[in-house]
Amino acid sequence: MIKVKVRLRPIASKLNLPTVLKTTILPGDSTERLFIATQVGEIFYIGNGAIRTFLDIRPRILKLGVSGGGYDERGLLGLAFHPQFYYNGLFYLHYSAAGTQGPGAFSEPFTPNPCDPGTLSLRWINREAQYDHIDTVEEWILQTNGQPQKRRTLLNLRRPFFNHNGVNSLNFSPETGKLVLTTGDGGSGYDPFNLSQNDMEIAGKIIEIDVSKNTFIDNPPVVTRFNELPASIQETLTVIAKGVRNIPGISYQRFYNQYIKYAGNVGQDLVESIFSFVHYKPIPVTRLIQASFLNSESDQEGFINFGWRGWEGAFPASVIRGCTANPTMDEKTIAYYDEAVRTSARRLLPLTGYFHQDPRPDKFGGTALTGVQPYMGNGIPGLTGSVVFTDLARNEHSQPPVRGVLAYTRVKPDCKLHDFSVIETDYPYGSQSAYYVSLGTNMDQTRLYLGVYGSMNVTDFNQGTVFEIVP
């Protein structure tokens, strides 16, 4: 693959963690504006060279950084504008709700032990008491006076742990016109309750919501399973995919009269993976519930399965036993062999993957995938038609400052695992760390935007910068 070098042009600085970067045209406006949603609950847009506040829901957001030394994966996680936003003013939010903090499903970190069957078949019990927080998905409207107002709540989801809630988790499908919600597996590590493969569990899925249907329910019950939802809400939902660990959204690339879908799956210990698919057969939630009631398996031909927790990208999910004397000799043991076998024929193979440790001089060791976007512009010729992705921090086992990674791959109709190449940048961060926390694009995918933060602690404020990636 050819080497591509780009520049990073700062657009906005001194922001809190920029989790979502999207553009839209405001009602009555004629210019496409960049919107920036921060993890702590602010939404800004760039207007006439100035940063303007669109909405501030910080009081609605759960208090972040109270445990784990300031690192947190909750907060404002999703923002999506209705395809007819210019005319109807509708937009959608996904966030961790204030006042919902619980003790968590476990008191200690979890690692499966292949020699102890008890660790391989855990169940999430006493869910109403043993949970971490509640995520909510809401519909809002930009009123004619220019003030946003909440209209209704679509879902209230109880989450077992603080992490793996998804990020950039709301997007509209240009194929179906439905709102797409990408949920992580609920957190901890290794998906201890195997929620991602359980058809009744909302965690670990990609879900379409038909927002054109009115459920006439203003405040839905707090749930973790599809069969706990009222029937009128069940009828608005279809499931596109399961086997998701944690996912930085879904993106669409028009290809003649169809769309290629891209979704990244954040890895456990070995590899970060990017998947692509064109054809799929979503399953109505009502059909999944009926199959569960009859104790039968619904027809899942054409249903997307990313393979987690049996598979971590192209590899069977493994437990790593460290070799302190020689890390290159670390032992990797298949964690869920039986599940890897059961899902081996049904899972979707990744488009590409990159490793947490990679000795090749032209590659890099990654930490966590944070964004996947197709680029259809001509401004950066080496990237035209490619798929660009970001990793949080280059894994060099060295001292700070930390640097994120920008890279790309290409789609070829050969059914092979594709190569990738690092995109070179020369922005002078100096002694400041630069975690690459988000990647965005404009409406026709001819521009790319990068969100960078100087710390991974949400309690370290105003260290964010948003760049446009330019030739």
Side-chain angles (χ1 to χ4, degrees):
M1 298 181 68
I2 65 170
K3 291 290 184 183
V4 177
K5 188 171 184 177
V6 299
R7 294 184 300 116
L8 302 181
R9 181 174 67 85
I11 295 176
S13 60
K14 296 184 179 178
L15 301 168
N16 289 309
L17 267 159
T19 53
V20 183
L21 307 173
K22 287 182 177 172
T23 68
T24 193
I25 302 174
L26 286 161
D29 200 352
S30 59
T31 304
E32 197 172 325
R33 310 286 185 183
L34 175 64
F35 280 72
I36 304 166
T38 72
Q39 190 173 347
V40 298
E42 308 146 309
I43 302 175
F44 304 104
Y45 70 95
I46 309 298
N48 301 323
I51 302 176
R52 304 173 185 272
T53 298
F54 176 73
L55 179 62
D56 188 342
I57 62 165
R58 282 179 289 182
R60 294 174 176 264
I61 301 292
L62 179 146
K63 186 173 177 59
L64 301 176
V66 295
S67 60
Y71 176 74
D72 213 319
E73 294 186 15
R74 300 166 298 186
L76 176 54
L77 304 171
L79 163 68
F81 297 98
H82 193 281
Q84 300 297 315
F85 173 71
Y86 183 84
Y87 302 102
N88 62 23
L90 294 177
F91 64 97
Y92 300 82
L93 302 177
H94 170 207
Y95 63 88
S96 309
T100 65
Q101 177 72 61
F106 285 156
S107 59
E108 297 179 357
F110 167 78
T111 301
N113 180 358
C115 300
D116 181 358
T119 68
L120 308 181
S121 56
L122 298 176
R123 294 289 179 265
W124 183 13
I125 58 175
N126 194 17
R127 298 187 181 201
E128 293 186 1
Q130 298 299 120
Y131 70 96
D132 183 83
H133 68 281
I134 294 168
D135 279 351
T136 187
V137 179
E138 296 175 343
E139 180 180 75
W140 287 61
I141 188 168
L142 183 63
Q143 302 174 103
T144 54
N145 63 4
Q147 295 300 311
Q149 182 180 34
K150 177 188 166 184
R151 292 186 78 210
R152 57 174 174 158
T153 299
L154 301 178
L155 292 171
N156 285 314
L157 307 177
R158 185 181 289 112
R159 306 293 285 170
F161 305 102
F162 87 101
N163 58 337
H164 298 185
N165 305 299
V167 68
N168 188 25
S169 55
L170 294 178
N171 291 278
F172 270 91
S173 166
E175 291 180 302
T176 65
K178 295 179 180 179
L179 180 66
V180 181
L181 169 66
T182 50
T183 69
D185 66 8
S188 185
Y190 295 95
D191 192 3
F193 309 123
N194 201 19
L195 304 181
S196 56
Q197 288 294 333
N198 188 317
D199 288 348
M200 278 300 96
E201 300 287 350
I202 298 174
K205 309 296 186 295
I206 301 179
I207 302 163
E208 281 192 328
I209 307 172
D210 188 348
V211 296
S212 68
K213 294 182 178 179
N214 193 334
T215 62
F216 300 101
I217 297 176
D218 292 331
N219 190 28
V222 179
V223 301
T224 61
R225 294 168 62 84
F226 289 118
N227 58 358
E228 297 169 349
L229 289 165
S232 61
I233 295 180
Q234 293 174 9
E235 292 167 359
T236 69
L237 306 178
T238 54
V239 182
I240 296 175
K242 65 180 180 181
V244 169
R245 185 174 181 272
N246 200 26
I247 183 169
I250 186 170
S251 55
Y252 298 80
Q253 181 182 27
R254 188 174 182 87
F255 184 74
Y256 295 103
N257 62 343
Q258 57 191 9
Y259 286 88
I260 306 173
K261 276 73 68 177
Y262 299 102
N265 212 7
V266 177
Q268 178 68 51
D269 291 319
L270 297 177
V271 63
E272 305 296 303
S273 305
I274 297 167
F275 295 84
S276 69
F277 58 96
V278 175
H279 304 291
Y280 67 98
K281 187 178 178 182
I283 302 179
V285 160
T286 51
R287 191 193 305 166
L288 288 174
I289 293 172
Q290 183 182 34
S292 176
F293 180 76
L294 297 174
N295 199 26
S296 64
E297 186 172 346
S298 62
D299 176 19
Q300 299 197 0
E301 185 70 29
F303 185 58
I304 302 300
N305 191 339
F306 293 115
W308 179 253
R309 70 181 180 178
W311 293 83
E312 184 182 346
F315 297 86
S318 302
V319 176
I320 296 180
R321 303 183 187 281
C323 179
T324 55
N326 187 353
T328 61
M329 300 298 291
D330 285 354
E331 179 184 304
K332 301 170 183 65
T333 304
I334 296 178
Y336 302 109
Y337 177 82
D338 290 349
E339 290 172 24
V341 171
R342 280 195 295 269
T343 55
S344 61
R346 295 183 174 182
R347 69 189 182 94
L348 181 69
L349 298 177
L351 168 68
T352 193
Y354 63 94
F355 304 98
H356 291 188
Q357 296 181 7
D358 195 327
R360 295 174 293 178
D362 62 333
K363 306 300 182 184
F364 68 96
T367 301
L369 184 73
T370 53
V372 180
Q373 296 288 350
Y375 175 70
M376 301 303 291
N378 297 315
I380 310 172
L383 293 181
T384 301
S386 67
V387 183
V388 179
F389 58 93
T390 46
D391 188 85
L392 180 71
R394 188 183 292 263
N395 182 8
E396 295 179 327
H397 302 290
S398 60
Q399 298 299 316
V402 172
R403 294 287 180 267
V405 186
L406 194 62
Y408 79 99
T409 189
R410 294 192 181 278
V411 178
K412 301 175 185 177
D414 58 8
C415 299
K416 294 180 180 178
L417 191 64
H418 296 159
D419 198 6
F420 66 92
S421 180
V422 176
I423 301 172
E424 296 181 8
T425 64
D426 59 359
Y427 188 79
Y429 293 110
S431 60
Q432 178 74 25
S433 288
Y435 293 89
Y436 287 10
V437 294
S438 55
L439 184 68
T441 186
N442 63 338
M443 295 169 74
D444 64 3
Q445 300 174 333
T446 58
R447 292 185 169 186
L448 291 167
Y449 303 100
L450 175 66
V452 178
Y453 210 66
S455 168
M456 276 318 297
N457 293 338
V458 295
T459 52
D460 294 342
F461 297 114
N462 306 320
Q463 296 191 26
T465 303
V466 173
F467 298 90
E468 182 175 358
I469 300 171
V470 295

